[in-house]
Structures are given as structure tokens and as C-alpha cells.
Amino acid sequence: MFNQLPMYQQQGASAYKEDLTNSILLSGYLGNPENDLKFIHVAGTNGKGSTSHLLASVLQEAGYKVGLYTSPHLRDFRERIKINGIEISEEFVCEFIEKNIDFFKANELSFFEMTVGLAFEYFKKQKVDIAIIEVGLGGRLDSTNIITPLISVITNIGKDHVQFLGNTLEAIANEKAGIIKNNIPVVIGEYTSETKPVFIAKATTTHSEIFFASDTISNDYPSDLKGDYQISNKKTAIQTLRLLNSIPGFEISENDIKYGFLNVGKNTGLQGRWQQLNSAPKTICDTAHNKHGLEIVLNQLKKEEFDTLHFVFGVVNDKDLNEILPLFPKNAIYYFCKPNMPRGLDAKILEQKSVEFGLIGKVYNSVSEAYESAKKNATATDFIYIGGSTFVVAEIL
């Protein structure tokens, strides 16, 4: 799957397809497994992974058999497809590929298209009660958008992947709003003056009841997910669960929400969200990688107490550095590195650009070498932050 066909995680733009034709073709070939499943569909610029895992964890606590489809993976491809926190087996993946490889080759299916088909077939065969499906990129033309969910969820809109989705918030919101289906309720996590009219217009066209989670007053259930951005994700999940509770066949109690939020990591295996790796020095890794996400994470960093901040930092090559580098603290020691993948930006280029914004540090040959150097240099009262890219975090984990 990785070597024969395009994979966005590795290659970027060349693997992106603005078309659902292949997804519909594959689904028909597999017997349209999505028609036998119940879904919650989750899109958004940031927070869709955390929101999907929050929903899955609560539904597991409520006793349901829960499928969870997310991307990208951090360490193992099988992280993308889980049931009650257990990854799909290697055997099922291999059999699926062997059985269908001639079809994949004949129709030049992408990595992501194959993976979506695999997830739907697996969830159907395993007879899940409900599947939480995270959009890969955008919404309207994403391979997952062949489903009709019980509820559509859009967490928020920020500028990311502008080469595909447009360079205004309205344009990006329009792409995300493509997951809103006829007569299916939609939950909006956060909105701006630019995006709210887009969502309302789409929901009006599709006769979909629309709920704005950020306008609700909800119990602030504690969670094992400690990032400040989880406050909004929890509201989004709660609003979605309240709606699901009104659908016949689903019953979710306050205790299910309480314990689901407290046990997300244990129940679903979510990693890389303000995740603490060490205490002395305190070491945090986080997958925030665009302006919207980094603003929240770096503001949270300001609340921490430490003597010196050490920043293990790498990005992918399609990142708008002029947009994100002004966000980073100047009073830190930077350890510039390149994620070990074709899309990784050369660490020397990152260092040269960072200097323009007053960010000073050294270049390292790998993420692990950068991290080891940070650990060697840091004292017990310092702070190490690892981030800039999902793939930097993945290498550390």
C-alpha cells in the first residue's frame, strides 16, 4: 500500500484526488458496506482526531461496539482502524489487499481510497454498533464522504491545506460543509463571522438542523486529554452525544460521558495531544501543526514554569513558515530537525528561515538526535517541547 500507490502522508499534493469517483467505484465493488453501518462523520481543521476519540471513548463506556477511523497514523498503519481501541489485525489488512489487489491496480486507487474501503469492510464484518469516521482532508471531496451519517460534526475552520481547500476561511468552510447531508443534523464546534453564514446556508439547503456547540453551557467534565484546545473539543463531543441520545437505539448516561472523558487514552489509544513524556525536565509533545492549533498550544506553554525552554522542532515542506514562525517564543533553544519522510522540510532551510524571526538553535541530522541533545542539555527544572509536525511527534513516540 505504501510503495505502489500515492500516500498523502508521505508525498503531499501528488496523492490528493479531488474526486469521489474511485471511492464510489470501490464501495460498489465491495458491496457498499457503508450502507449497513451507522456513522458519526467528523470534519474540521483541528480537533477532529481528539473529538473522534472522545466520542469513541464515551460510546465504549456506554457498552457499544465502536469502530474508529482516523488519520494519519503515528507509528503503525493499523492505528487508523480500530474497534473498541483494538487495532485492525495484520491478517485482515493483508487478506484485503491480496483479495482486491488486481482491482486496486486496474483503477489506480490511492492509498487513502483503499484504506477507507478497508475500514468500511472491516467494520461491517465485525458488526460494529456505530463507527466514528474522521475526514482525511477537507470534506466535500474526501473519500469518506460517501457515507450518510446519523450526525455530521465540523470542529472548526482554520487555514491549512490551502492549496486544496482555498485560501479564505469561507472557501475552506465550504469544503468542510460538504459533509452536511440532507435532513441529517450537524454540530459545529467553533465558528467565526466568516464561517457561520457558510454553515447556516448549507444546513438550510439540506434541511439539516444545526447546533453550535461553542454557544452551549455544558458541564466541564475532566479528561485525561490535557491540552487547552480540548475544552472546545469536549463541548463539541457533548453536543454530539446529546443528539445521539435522542436517536432510538442509543442511550448514553452522564457517567458514560464522565468516565469516557477520563479514559480516552486507555479506551482508544490516542497519543500526541499535549502528551507528557517526562517530569524532570517536564517534556511535552503535541501534534499541533498549523496556525490555529499552534496558537492555542503555544499560549498554554506560556502558563508553564521553567528555567529554560528547549524546542525540538520540525515541519513538512508545504508549511507556510511566514504564518507560523511568528508564533514561536524567541526565548527558547531550538533543535531543528527534519521528519524522516519525503515531505519533511530540510532542517537547514527551517533553521535559516527561523533566524529571520529570532528563533535561534542548531541543526540536527534526525528527530531522535535533536531530542537526545535536548535531553542532554536540559536540567530538571527546564521544559522540553516536541512539535511542529505530527511526524516529529510520531518519531519520538
Side-chain angles (χ1 to χ4, degrees), residues 205-237:
T205 302
T206 57
H207 308 288
S208 303
E209 195 170 3
I210 189 167
F211 300 85
F212 294 97
S214 59
D215 293 343
T216 62
I217 299 172
S218 57
N219 296 330
D220 187 19
Y221 297 90
S223 174
D224 58 338
L225 304 184
K226 300 303 183 184
D228 285 357
Y229 49 78
Q230 301 297 358
I231 295 168
S232 177
N233 294 333
K234 287 191 288 184
K235 273 194 170 189
T236 305

Side-chain angles (χ1 to χ4, degrees), residues 313-317 319 321 324 337 339 343-345 350 388-389 392:
F313 184 36
V315 297
V316 291
N317 58 21
K319 196 59 56 187
L321 296 178
I324 66 167
C337 52
R343 284 177 65 210
L345 179 67
L350 177 59
S389 167
V392 170

Side-chain angles (χ1 to χ4, degrees), residues 45 157-159 166-174 192 194-195 198-199:
T45 301
I157 302 297
K159 287 189 178 180
N167 58 10
T168 67
L169 293 179
E170 293 94 335
I172 296 169
N174 188 63
T192 67
E194 298 100 326
T195 63
V198 176
F199 296 137

